[in-house]
Amino acid sequence: MRFHRLLLALAILTAATSLAQQPSIDPAIAREIDSIPAIDNHAHPMLSPPADATDREFDALPVDSMAPQTDPIALRPDWPPLHDAWLALFNIDLQPPLTPDTQKQLDAARGRVKAREGGHYSTFVLDKSGIATMVANRVAMGTGVEPPRFLWVPYEDALLFPLNNAAMAAQTPDRTQFYALEDKLRARYLQDAGLTKPPATLDDYINKVVLPTLRRQHEHGAIAAKFELAYLRTLAISNPTEAAAEAIYSKYIDTNTSPDPATYKPLQDYLFRTVALECGRLGMAVHFHSMAGAGSYFSIAGGNPMNMEPLFNDPAMRHTNFVMLHGGWPFVHETGALLQKPNVYLDISQQALVIPAATLATWLREWLELFPDKVLFATDGYPYSDYLGWEESTWLAARNARNALGIALTGMERDGEITPVRASRLAHMVLHDNAAALYNFK
Ligand SMILES: [Zn+2]
């Protein structure tokens, strides 16, 4: 009896041990994934020294001055993986959270690497993160953030709000800041078009400001146009007539009074569609923010990518490719379903930083089982704070994304859905080939 109990206990112990030791990622798949130089579909790299010191063009709407929110774990100063990024990038062994003293040590270590790498500092971060090409979402490019390693995606939201934006800005404390920034960027686009204020008619505004801005960006290498629209209003885009849009434009441009948001919306929708159509004509994709946050006032319901479905279903839009940045979390099943539209894609930026690999792998697997040619690797590397710079967030998101991809592909292979050859093929597609096909890279 006692012997049987011992055998049973041994059997349970063995089973438990082998389960615990069962790697969640097949080593062959992990090796393959690690060997693929990636295209990062979306991030906000900062310029290399010496331009880095004053660089504020990494975002049209920098999120470092918003009203307080409850930060996800991955953005907090005590997040354990920070240690690995600091060690890998700056060769310094520090434990989060940093004290004033260890923060100084990190700053010094970062400074040493910047001094060593100089103008190559930004590409050094890519090399450390296994990224061959980073799609750089910036207001403008600059020192060290240049082709061929960095490709440009500028911001277009400012073009959608040519009127007095006081009523839009009054909606939340965050939007008060955002619209002031959009007004500034639109002034810059007007200046680039040789104007000091918007023209009197919508037709002139489109032909002298909107279309020339896009064409100039395209000539300067832009491969896509980015919208942070979900921070500014709902993603629902209606299909108003030109006459309806013109009536709103001419009425309010003349008096410089601020239309209420509902009155203003058809003009914004008309301008969005104008930009999206021109992007299709120029061969630029349309990127839009599609994830909850950042910020405590962000409208999660308004940012649901399902709001874009009528736009996606408009035959006139089928020559424009749309990319749902950040994969639409928490609406991850909805974004998966939207991939059946031939011109709709998603990336895993931002999710790759804040959602641990095992969890991210569950819906990544679902997407790969249905529409594997529409899923793009991305980090959303971003200068969040002194302890989580664009360098750390890029490196950590790249590692976590590769782990999530490894878990998803290993699960599919073990369940007999795919062969090892197909697993390798899918890894190349997500990390590189899907983006290369979308942007027509040679
Ligand atoms: Zn971003």
Side-chain angles (χ1 to χ4, degrees):
M1 187 65 199
R2 197 189 284 164
F3 181 68
H4 274 127
R5 263 200 207 145
L6 185 68
L7 270 186
L8 187 65
L10 266 175
I12 288 168
L13 192 69
T14 313
T17 311
S18 68
L19 260 184
Q21 284 173 347
Q22 178 137 343
S24 52
I25 307 178
D26 180 301
I29 291 178
R31 270 197 305 279
E32 183 78 17
I33 286 172
D34 284 344
S35 76
I36 302 168
I39 297 174
D40 181 346
N41 185 65
H42 174 76
H44 305 263
M46 289 193 67
L47 303 182
S48 290
D52 59 325
T54 53
D55 182 15
R56 287 291 292 168
E57 301 209 309
F58 54 83
D59 193 353
L61 303 177
V63 295
D64 50 9
S65 52
M66 297 165 76
Q69 65 167 357
T70 304
D71 279 332
I73 291 288
L75 299 184
R76 297 183 192 183
D78 59 350
W79 192 40
L82 285 165
H83 163 270
D84 302 352
W86 296 329
L87 189 60
L89 290 160
F90 308 121
N91 195 28
I92 189 161
D93 190 357
L94 299 171
Q95 292 304 325
L98 298 175
T99 63
D101 183 52
T102 53
Q103 178 70 57
K104 271 190 204 136
Q105 291 177 39
L106 174 64
D107 295 345
R110 193 189 308 266
R112 281 193 295 276
V113 177
K114 283 189 174 185
R116 189 188 71 212
E117 299 293 331
H120 300 292
Y121 179 72
S122 305
T123 53
F124 159 84
V125 175
L126 299 198
D127 293 341
K128 282 282 176 189
S129 308
I131 295 168
T133 309
M134 175 175 272
V135 178
N137 187 199
R138 293 181 48 93
V139 175
M141 304 287 264
T143 309
V145 177
E146 298 150 330
R149 297 292 299 277
F150 294 90
L151 300 174
W152 188 34
V153 175
Y155 294 88
E156 317 300 353
D157 302 277
L159 296 170
L160 307 190
F161 303 96
L163 305 179
N164 180 325
N165 291 310
M168 300 294 290
Q171 293 175 107
T172 71
D174 287 344
R175 285 184 182 171
T176 304
Q177 296 187 45
F178 290 159
Y179 276 95
L181 292 163
E182 296 294 359
D183 287 347
K184 237 168 97 183
L185 185 55
R186 193 176 50 268
R188 183 163 159 181
Y189 288 162
L190 284 168
Q191 194 184 3
D192 291 346
L195 299 168
T196 50
K197 64 183 180 68
T201 67
L202 178 61
D203 194 54
D204 271 358
Y205 177 64
I206 289 173
N207 287 298
K208 292 182 178 169
V209 181
V210 176
L211 300 181
T213 299
L214 287 169
R215 288 170 193 160
R216 198 164 40 246
Q217 291 168 342
H218 182 245
E219 277 164 26
H220 284 88
I223 61 167
K226 163 79 180 296
F227 286 94
E228 298 183 294
L229 197 60
Y231 284 99
L232 300 162
R233 44 151 282 181
T234 166
L235 289 179
I237 311 281
S238 63
N239 190 5
T241 61
E242 186 182 352
E246 165 63 31
I248 302 162
Y249 184 90
S250 49
K251 177 176 174 190
Y252 288 93
I253 206 81
D254 201 32
T255 54
N256 195 30
T257 47
S258 182
D260 68 79
T263 304
Y264 196 171
K265 184 173 178 296
L267 172 62
Q268 298 159 15
D269 293 353
Y270 186 83
L271 288 167
F272 179 93
R273 297 173 67 92
T274 302
V275 171
L277 285 174
E278 182 66 8
C279 284
R281 210 186 62 75
L282 293 169
M284 288 162 68
V286 170
H287 287 186
F288 63 94
H289 176 100
S290 73
M291 182 171 174
S296 56
Y297 290 105
F298 184 91
S299 170
I300 297 168
N304 184 341
M306 284 304 287
N307 286 311
M308 305 280 279
E309 193 185 16
L311 184 85
F312 297 155
N313 281 350
D314 181 346
M317 288 291 155
R318 287 292 160 95
H319 302 290
T320 303
N321 288 316
F322 295 91
V323 187
M324 301 179 286
L325 303 185
H326 328 314
W329 186 87
F331 309 104
V332 291
H333 305 292
E334 287 86 341
T335 48
L338 287 169
L339 296 180
Q340 72 175 253
K341 322 284 179 194
N343 55 336
V344 176
Y345 297 74
L346 64 75
D347 80 22
I348 57 170
S349 59
Q350 185 65 21
Q351 290 199 25
L353 179 68
V354 300
I355 300 184
T359 304
L360 173 53
T362 58
W363 54 81
L364 181 58
R365 174 171 170 168
E366 180 179 310
W367 296 337
L368 294 179
E369 287 168 339
L370 290 161
F371 307 107
D373 40 348
K374 303 301 230 13
V375 179
L376 312 174
F377 166 88
T379 62
D380 208 3
Y382 191 96
Y384 286 99
S385 59
D386 290 342
Y387 55 85
L388 180 63
W390 80 274
E391 307 95 318
E392 289 94 328
S393 51
T394 297
W395 189 90
L396 287 162
R399 180 176 74 166
N400 191 51
R402 282 187 159 93
N403 283 338
L405 182 59
I407 294 168
L409 294 176
T410 299
M412 291 165 74
E413 194 182 302
R414 286 195 181 139
D415 291 339
E417 294 174 17
I418 54 172
T419 62
V421 171
R422 179 69 178 159
S424 161
R425 181 80 206 95
L426 289 174
H428 281 266
M429 286 164 65
V430 172
L431 285 160
H432 181 278
D433 297 359
N434 290 345
L438 171 62
Y439 302 113
N440 265 317
F441 294 162
K442 299 292 176 246

